[in-house]
Amino acid sequence: MAHREPPEHPVLQDILAKKLSDWELIEELGIYIVGFDRARYGESEPNPSRSLRSEASDIAELANALELGPRFYLIGFSLGGHAVWASIKYIPDRIAGAAMMAPVINYRWPGFPRHLSEEAYRKQQPGDQRALRVAYYAPWLLHWWMKQSWLPSSTVIKGTTHLPNRLDAQVREYAMKNSGMFEERRKLATQQGMLESFYRDMMVMFGKWEFDPMDLSQPPFPVHLWHGDEDGLVSVTLQRYICSRLSWINYHELKETGHYLGGVQSLVDVVLKTLLVVSVSA
């Protein structure tokens, strides 16, 4: 592997320093962490019939293959939050505790008051609104739609969404303009094509769900959710509503914080300690 000098950008240097601290805690607690590529991401096999149920099934199957034991902890960030919701619904007996960090929201979950979800939906750029509408009403058209330069497209995918939080904006600017990190990571993740990876995720996340998370009963394990009050990608207003409906979710709102929670000082430490120390001793 070629040697790569650490970035000179102060924001990225600070984040790397925090990552080293996170690894120290992981070693201290003796944690075994598994990160996996969902279907057709990286080198994972495709699943054209991917669904919420299949996401939970994949997680359970992976845990069995790696012999992680009868129960394990689950953490989902951003778009990966739908896999946590699915696991709460379909494999609650396998989960010891769950954490969601800025999980993406489906604006069409029936539990939302219509005026609240529509208000949050309309705050998006027109291209993002159109892309989500296609993912819901005509998922078979999504891949074609995203390839048409003359059609309004998603600013999230293009990396041009307005980010009100300063740290979010700095991290994205560095990743996209200075190091090629954004494109490098995207190419690695979607090496089998955007259709079966990211667009298939959009179809599941923003399509017609098999259940409404706000109808879920309290699971037999603790669930925590962290969200920044300056998140420019996922509505904090809707996140607050979800957690007000599901009183069993331990909601942690972070002040002056955006979407990229991995860059928040000591947050990974807090998440791990909350799941593995506080929840166990409670």
Side-chain angles (χ1 to χ4, degrees), residues 82-262:
H82 77 279
V84 179
W85 285 120
S87 298
I88 294 173
K89 169 69 174 179
Y90 294 117
I91 56 169
D93 57 314
R94 300 299 309 276
I95 310 300
M100 289 182 277
M101 303 176 69
V104 172
I105 291 169
N106 187 318
Y107 294 90
R108 291 179 172 81
W109 285 338
F112 284 130
R114 186 170 181 177
H115 74 279
L116 195 66
S117 58
E118 285 189 352
E119 180 182 1
Y121 182 78
R122 297 301 176 190
K123 288 182 179 180
Q124 299 180 103
Q125 293 297 315
D128 295 292
Q129 294 182 31
R130 299 281 181 84
L132 297 190
R133 193 174 294 125
V134 171
Y136 185 83
Y137 290 107
W140 48 269
L141 187 63
L142 185 63
H143 187 226
W144 176 86
W145 181 280
M146 292 297 193
K147 293 176 65 177
Q148 309 308 309
S149 60
W150 54 277
L151 289 173
S153 188
S154 171
T155 65
V156 176
I157 292 178
K158 292 187 292 187
T160 59
T161 306
H162 170 64
L163 300 177
N165 179 260
R166 181 180 59 84
L167 179 60
D168 275 2
Q170 288 179 337
V171 169
R172 186 179 67 184
E173 179 183 9
Y174 179 86
M176 295 187 67
K177 294 183 178 180
N178 298 337
S179 69
M181 185 188 308
F182 183 85
E183 281 303 318
E184 182 180 331
R185 296 183 64 183
R186 172 182 284 184
K187 288 179 181 179
L188 182 63
T190 62
Q191 59 186 274
Q192 300 186 61
M194 289 286 282
L195 170 59
E196 289 299 336
S197 53
F198 195 81
Y199 296 157
R200 190 70 65 184
D201 256 359
M202 288 183 63
M203 295 175 199
V204 174
M205 181 65 234
F206 298 110
K208 298 176 182 179
W209 275 46
E210 305 150 21
F211 63 92
D212 184 345
M214 284 173 275
D215 288 337
L216 290 173
S217 300
Q218 181 171 355
F221 52 83
V223 179
H224 294 266
L225 193 154
W226 280 266
H227 201 93
D229 67 345
E230 294 181 355
D231 192 322
L233 297 177
V234 181
S235 168
V236 66
T237 302
L238 295 185
Q239 208 74 273
R240 290 169 182 161
Y241 183 82
I242 293 169
C243 294
S244 71
R245 283 280 305 271
L246 300 176
S247 60
W248 42 267
I249 291 182
N250 300 286
Y251 179 54
H252 313 273
E253 187 167 304
L254 307 174
K255 300 295 182 182
E256 299 179 355
T257 303
H259 186 72
Y260 301 138
L261 300 186

Side-chain angles (χ1 to χ4, degrees), residues 2-17 20 174 178-179 181:
H3 174 69
R4 176 176 294 177
E5 293 295 328
E8 297 181 359
H9 194 284
V11 173
L12 270 294
Q13 287 180 330
D14 188 37
I15 290 175
L16 285 178
L20 291 176
Y174 179 86
N178 298 337
S179 69
M181 185 188 308

